[in-house]
Amino acid sequence: MLKSLPTDSAGVVPSGVTVIGGGPAGLTAAYLLSKAGVPVTVLEADPTDVGGISRTAKYKGFRFDIGGHRFFSKSKEVEDFWTEILGNEMLDRPRLSRIFYRGQFYSYPLKAMEALSKLGVIESALCVLSYIKARVNPMPNPKSFEDWVTNQFGRRLYSIFFKTYTEKVWGMDCKDISADWAAQRIKGLSLATAIKNAILPKRKPKSKDKVIKSLIDSFRYPRLGPGMMWEACAGKIRENGGKILLGQYVNSCAYSDATKLWTITTKSVDGASHSFESAHVISSAPMRELVAMTTPGFSRQAVDAANGLNYREFLTVALMLKETKNIEDNWIYIHDPGVKVGRIQNFKSWSPYLVPDPSYACYGLEYFCFEGDGLWDMADADLVKLAAKEVETVGLAKASEILDGCVVRQKKAYPVYDDVYSKNVEIIRSEIAERYPNLHLVGRNGMHKYNNQDHAMMTAMLTVKNILAGGQAFDVWQVNQDAEYHESGASAQESSVSGLRMTPERLKAGA
């Protein structure tokens, strides 16, 4: 019971490091610290599950992946971490994704002949001409998502295969989305690259750091979903002497200049309050929330910057039915503006163990929304009806075939990359470095960076290295979507953090 936690005479739970958030970043940090013998306590708001957005939701024997998590990384350290935690429980799964547009399915990545036949000769020719125009006369210094993708693919393909889906995801015009998001999510991929990969014989890359993530053919996946990884990781942290406390809502982080220690206070689901004292705090909490609960308080400029950070919510409507079609896709991107759904997962294709009976199928229809809008506040029964109608529109099943449904909501699933987010993050980041020593930001929401799971883990790995070394040897902020983890020429078997070591030049530049 939480009330029986060991405390000192002042009622404070001692800990070398306190970790706020039990998602991939927080648990990675806690596991590595516990292995090194450092006392660590993880505070997770969810009363039942660890894993954050990488948890596995459960309903009547069905398991749901919240957003879809391919276990593939250019980082050998991350891959080794997954193997260490789950070993043989990791499955090798084929990767298959498609795009649904104007009533037709297109393979993703692009298959040249398929796209040509479905778009038609005239439309395909116009797409190629549009691409050539963009390459000959690209927009200099693209600032928006629209500008960046148009440079890479041409305006016509941007309009067909990027605009509608992206605006579903973010709920805003592509002109108002920073080019940073495109550079992170589809780095290294262009129309020429896609056609080359579709036409030419595939060659095995010399190392994983040469693979474009959007073009991978297979990935590893925990047998019972991503939550299996983080539940196992939590168990190992406890075995190492670390503490993981669920249902703990952090409401204050107070730093003492006199003692150089942090005091974190929480309220648990049973209404009890607790305090935790530590030399370091690792936070994967949303940056906006962290700024609001930190004392001494941030400057007015930093508070305003934090309040200017925005988030996109996400909900999954899982539909259960008897399998009548052999759908092999992991997920299908819905670019068609005629439906609200943005993406459809086929959970059975991620792992056959996510369904309790092989005769059943389970589709997860993913809707992107803001907390408090019409979709977010819609009753579960109405969402199930909407999803059943839309899965029929897409052609995966008839609405009458749906036997049951379940809704899973996820707050702050995506940090928004609008045109001012970068400036706001830099203001907060600079003030933390100046005023709050031993406060470390990690993970997607902690850094307001749209990181994949492996990149979130890498930020935690580097943070632990810095804590154990007693300095800032590695630049956590250089970890990014499809970041090149290696210095030029480094082998995939070498340390995947070599290229992120802090140098005097980076320090002078404020990197």
Side-chain angles (χ1 to χ4, degrees):
M1 294 293 292
L2 296 175
K3 294 179 180 178
S4 65
L5 286 172
T7 61
D8 62 15
S9 58
V12 176
V13 181
S15 173
V17 179
T18 299
V19 178
I20 301 174
L27 293 179
T28 296
Y31 177 64
L32 296 176
L33 288 166
S34 68
K35 277 184 67 176
V38 177
V40 60
T41 298
V42 178
L43 305 175
E44 168 55 44
D46 193 298
T48 58
D49 295 313
V50 295
I53 198 171
S54 295
R55 71 191 183 279
T56 300
K58 306 173 185 69
Y59 176 78
K60 296 183 180 179
F62 291 86
R63 294 171 178 266
F64 318 130
D65 188 341
I66 312 299
H69 291 84
R70 294 196 300 254
F71 283 69
F72 174 90
S73 181
K74 295 179 180 181
S75 164
K76 183 177 184 297
E77 287 180 64
V78 171
E79 291 279 3
D80 288 347
F81 183 103
W82 289 331
T83 300
E84 181 177 343
I85 298 298
L86 274 189
N88 294 332
E89 294 283 14
M90 295 287 280
L91 307 177
D92 288 315
R93 302 299 297 159
R95 187 260 196 198
L96 177 62
S97 301
R98 288 187 294 171
I99 291 170
F100 180 75
Y101 173 71
R102 290 185 177 175
Q104 297 192 85
F105 290 94
Y106 294 80
S107 296
Y108 184 77
L110 173 70
K111 290 184 178 178
M113 297 307 297
E114 177 196 65
L116 181 67
S117 64
K118 291 183 177 179
L119 285 175
V121 175
I122 295 175
E123 183 64 54
S124 296
L126 291 173
C127 287
V128 171
L129 289 173
S130 175
Y131 169 72
I132 293 172
K133 179 182 178 181
R135 301 308 289 173
V136 171
N137 187 29
M139 282 172 275
N141 303 315
K143 300 295 184 183
S144 71
F145 177 90
E146 178 177 301
D147 294 343
W148 193 96
V149 176
T150 298
N151 275 358
Q152 295 296 108
F153 290 88
R155 181 162 295 278
R156 204 165 189 96
L157 272 179
Y158 154 74
S159 298
I160 293 173
F161 289 125
F162 292 91
K163 179 177 171 63
T164 301
Y165 177 75
T166 301
E167 291 181 353
K168 279 187 183 183
V169 172
W170 295 108
M172 56 195 293
D173 194 294
C174 287
K175 293 185 178 69
D176 298 323
I177 302 170
S178 171
D180 292 352
W181 185 69
Q184 287 185 13
R185 301 306 291 182
I186 47 181
K187 182 181 185 328
L189 183 62
S190 68
L191 178 61
T193 306
I195 292 175
K196 176 182 175 182
N197 281 274
I199 296 175
L200 298 181
K202 294 184 178 180
R203 298 179 181 178
K204 188 175 181 180
K206 293 180 180 179
S207 64
K208 281 189 176 181
D209 64 316
K210 302 302 181 186
V211 176
I212 298 171
K213 271 195 175 182
S214 297
L215 299 177
I216 63 171
D217 294 320
S218 63
F219 56 91
R220 291 198 294 168
Y221 193 77
R223 183 174 59 86
L224 297 178
M228 185 183 191
M229 173 69 69
W230 302 112
E231 289 159 12
C233 184
K236 291 180 181 292
I237 293 168
R238 293 186 177 103
E239 289 174 4
N240 291 338
K243 299 182 179 69
I244 298 178
L245 307 178
L246 302 180
Q248 293 290 319
Y249 294 84
V250 176
N251 50 37
S252 173
C253 295
Y255 180 71
S256 169
D257 285 316
T259 64
K260 309 301 181 186
L261 295 175
W262 287 91
T263 301
I264 298 90
T265 60
T266 68
K267 178 169 286 188
S268 63
V269 290
D270 60 7
S273 295
H274 302 278
S275 294
F276 305 83
E277 189 174 85
S278 59
H280 294 266
V281 172
I282 298 175
S283 175
S284 64
M287 191 181 285
R288 189 170 70 191
E289 295 180 5
L290 179 69
V291 168
M293 63 188 178
T294 299
T295 56
F298 279 75
S299 68
R300 171 49 56 186
Q301 182 187 29
V303 170
D304 289 343
N307 290 335
L309 295 176
N310 296 304
Y311 303 86
R312 187 73 162 154
E313 276 68 43
F314 169 89
L315 59 86
T316 298
V317 183
L319 301 178
M320 303 87 183
L321 66 156
K322 280 285 188 176
E323 187 171 51
T324 58
K325 295 184 179 180
N326 183 23
I327 306 297
E328 296 181 351
D329 304 78
N330 306 120
W331 51 38
I332 299 171
Y333 299 92
I334 311 300
H335 291 229
D336 198 309
V339 290
K340 293 182 179 181
V341 62
R343 192 171 59 186
I344 300 177
Q345 286 200 71
N346 177 18
F347 294 118
K348 191 174 181 178
S349 187
W350 288 92
S351 168
Y353 298 96
L354 296 186
V355 297
D357 186 318
S359 67
Y360 283 85
C362 184
Y363 299 135
L365 280 74
E366 300 176 345
Y367 295 87
F368 307 96
C369 50
F370 291 111
E371 186 176 1
D373 71 12
L375 272 175
W376 182 263
D377 288 340
M378 190 180 291
D380 286 5
D382 292 333
L383 282 168
V384 170
K385 289 179 182 178
L386 171 66
K389 178 182 177 182
E390 295 199 335
V391 81
E392 180 170 321
T393 300
V394 175
L396 298 185
K398 294 180 179 179
S400 59
E401 295 175 335
I402 304 305
L403 302 176
D404 202 351
C406 173
V407 177
V408 181
R409 290 174 172 81
Q410 179 63 48
K411 293 183 180 180
K412 295 182 173 61
Y414 304 114
V416 171
Y417 275 34
D418 53 29
D419 56 359
V420 295
Y421 94 96
S422 182
K423 178 181 177 181
N424 288 335
V425 168
E426 184 55 37
I427 290 171
I428 298 164
R429 175 187 167 191
S430 297
E431 190 158 320
I432 287 175
E434 180 181 346
R435 295 184 58 193
Y436 304 97
N438 301 338
L439 174 59
H440 311 273
L441 306 185
V442 297
R444 177 181 284 192
N445 279 338
M447 302 173 75
H448 205 84
K449 262 188 166 184
Y450 196 141
N451 286 328
N452 277 343
Q453 178 178 231
D454 63 320
H455 296 100
M457 293 171 63
M458 179 60 75
T459 65
M461 290 175 171
L462 297 181
T463 294
V464 170
K465 289 176 185 289
N466 287 337
I467 289 173
L468 295 179
Q472 295 293 325
F474 296 97
D475 186 358
V476 175
W477 289 88
Q478 289 299 309
V479 175
N480 216 328
Q481 274 311 109
D482 280 329
E484 296 298 336
Y485 293 147
H486 306 271
E487 292 188 21
S488 179
S491 163
Q493 299 303 311
E494 296 174 14
S495 171
S496 59
V497 299
S498 59
L500 300 174
R501 190 175 293 278
M502 184 65 80
T503 64
E505 291 75 17
R506 277 186 178 166
L507 285 170
K508 290 177 182 176

